[in-house]
């Protein structure tokens, strides 16, 4: 009986072993699959994390870029009283910067000034100052210029541009002075504007600088700056004159013109204002239209502050004392 039991039980062991082996193999395979899935999942997570890190800077850049798209500044409404205060403060500041401000046309008498002012149209005061010494040496009085040969005058005035039209104006102006005003330049606005080639701008230059009578000179520099400063938005010279004149006492008009024109020629240029070197920047609504970097702005300065000569061959002593340099004569340098 013992032998029989042993014989019956022996076949069971191999079957059990095979089953166990198969179960182990299945378990291993399952474990391997699970590990593979886990690895894939880990790799996916890592890729997602890496992608997230790469994407993060873009979000940061977007956040930083947002302020650049800020809404435009709202126009500040300024009362008339506030405008008057700001305008007068600008003039006081400019008076400290340019205490030597003066008309930049060379002249010795009212006749020379009115002729020089007419010639200054469409050219620089410097070019006029380089040209008029030859003109006045040959034709010192209105009577002399009135009787001049137009061709000879044209040749002298050629460097100023539009020399034919200017020749006609100065000869006609001289004839009017000789025939209607006894060879003298009149000291009244209504008389001056009747002269050939003389408008309100020229008349106020003559009245303010030859006769000491207040006047506002609205040239291109003056008009540009007062609009930048929002003193007025007018473009017509007569309307600019009226609008700005209402902001200041009449006694300040002539020197105001000099201060503004000096500033326009030296710092507040038409194309590239030197904002970073401007003494009235805190008062200027247009600050930032030009170069704001102080070092770069200083390189834009013109005339005496930039080491270059001014407009006049014979400037006032106060200008020379302040470091101004006389302009060179025609053909020099």
């Amino acid at each position: 009986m013992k032998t029989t039991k042993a014989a019956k039980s022996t076949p069971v062991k191999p079957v059990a072993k095979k089953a166990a082996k198969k179960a182990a193999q299945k378990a291993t395979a399952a474990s391997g699959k699970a590990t593979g899935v886990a690895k894939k999942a880990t790799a996916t997570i890592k890729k997602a994390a890496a992608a997230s890190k790469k994407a993060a800077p873009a979000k940061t850049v977007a956040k930083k870029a947002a302020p650049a798209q800020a809404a435009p500044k709202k126009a500040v409404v300024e009362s008339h009283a506030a405008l008057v205060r700001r305008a007068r403060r600008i003039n006081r500041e400019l008076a400290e910067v340019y205490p030597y401000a003066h008309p930049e046309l060379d002249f010795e008498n009212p006749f020379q000034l009115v002729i020089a002012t007419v010639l200054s149209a469409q050219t620089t005061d410097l070019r006029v100052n380089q040209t008029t010494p030859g003109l006045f040496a040959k034709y010192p009085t209105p009577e002399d210029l009135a009787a001049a040969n137009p061709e000879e005058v044209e040749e002298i005035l050629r460097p100023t541009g539009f020399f034919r039209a200017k020749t006609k104006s100065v000869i006609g102006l001289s004839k009017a002075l000789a025939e209607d005003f006894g060879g003298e330049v009149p000291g009244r606005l209504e008389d001056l504007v009747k002269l050939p080639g003389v408008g309100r701008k020229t008349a106020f230059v003559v009245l303010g600088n030859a006769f000491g009578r207040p006047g506002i000179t609205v040239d291109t520099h003056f008009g540009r700056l007062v609009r930048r400063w929002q003193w007025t938005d007018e473009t017509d010279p007569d309307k600019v004159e009226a609008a700005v004149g209402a902001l200041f006492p009449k006694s300040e008009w002539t020197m105001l013109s000099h201060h503004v024109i000096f500033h326009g020629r030296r710092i507040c240029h038409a194309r590239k204002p030197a904002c970073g070197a401007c003494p009235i920047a805190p008062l200027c609504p247009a600050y930032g239209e030009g170069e704001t970097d102080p070092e770069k702005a200083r390189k834009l300065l013109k005339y005496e502050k930039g080491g270059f000569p001014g407009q006049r061959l014979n400037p006032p002593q106060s200008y020379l004392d302040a470091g101004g340099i006389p302009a060179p004569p025609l053909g020099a340098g």
Side-chain angles (χ1 to χ4, degrees), residues 24-164:
Q25 287 175 345
K26 285 182 180 179
T28 303
S31 176
K33 285 181 181 179
T35 303
V37 171
K39 285 182 179 178
K40 285 182 181 178
T42 303
T44 303
I45 291 169
K46 286 182 178 179
K47 285 181 181 178
S52 176
K53 284 181 180 178
K54 287 181 180 178
K59 291 180 182 176
T60 306
V61 171
K63 284 181 181 178
K64 287 183 179 178
Q69 299 175 355
K73 292 181 180 178
K74 292 182 180 179
V76 178
V77 178
E78 188 175 36
S79 68
H80 181 73
L83 172 60
V84 170
R85 285 195 299 270
R86 183 169 63 85
R88 293 185 181 184
R89 185 178 171 191
I90 285 176
N91 188 38
R92 288 196 300 272
E93 296 282 346
L94 293 180
E96 291 184 10
V97 178
Y98 310 112
Y100 48 82
H102 57 274
E104 292 194 275
L105 288 168
D106 282 328
F107 69 97
E108 295 178 359
N109 54 56
F111 171 63
Q112 290 188 0
L113 180 57
V114 71
I115 294 294
T117 307
V118 169
L119 295 179
S120 68
Q122 304 299 317
T123 190
T124 63
D125 288 356
L126 171 58
R127 180 60 67 184
V128 173
N129 290 340
Q130 292 171 326
T131 304
T132 50
L135 179 70
F136 295 139
K138 193 167 186 177
Y139 310 107
T141 68
E143 291 80 4
D144 294 327
L145 193 50
N149 181 332
E151 291 182 359
E152 293 179 0
V153 177
E154 285 179 3
E155 195 56 35
I156 295 173
L157 301 186
R158 186 180 294 272
T160 68
F162 303 96
F163 57 92
R164 290 190 178 89

Side-chain angles (χ1 to χ4, degrees), residues 200-201 204 214-218 222 240-241 244-246 253-254 256-257:
R200 287 178 69 88
K201 170 196 160 186
F204 280 126
I216 292 177
T217 304
V218 183
F222 191 95
V240 171
E241 175 200 323
V244 174
W253 286 359
T254 299
L256 167 70
S257 301

Side-chain angles (χ1 to χ4, degrees), residues 75-78 83 86-87 90 224-233 247 283-286 289:
V76 178
V77 178
E78 188 175 36
L83 172 60
R86 183 169 63 85
I90 285 176
R224 180 180 74 252
L225 267 61
V226 299
R227 283 188 289 274
R228 275 183 179 165
W229 296 337
Q230 295 181 9
W231 290 3
T232 180
D233 57 4
L247 303 177
L283 300 170
C284 180
E289 284 187 10

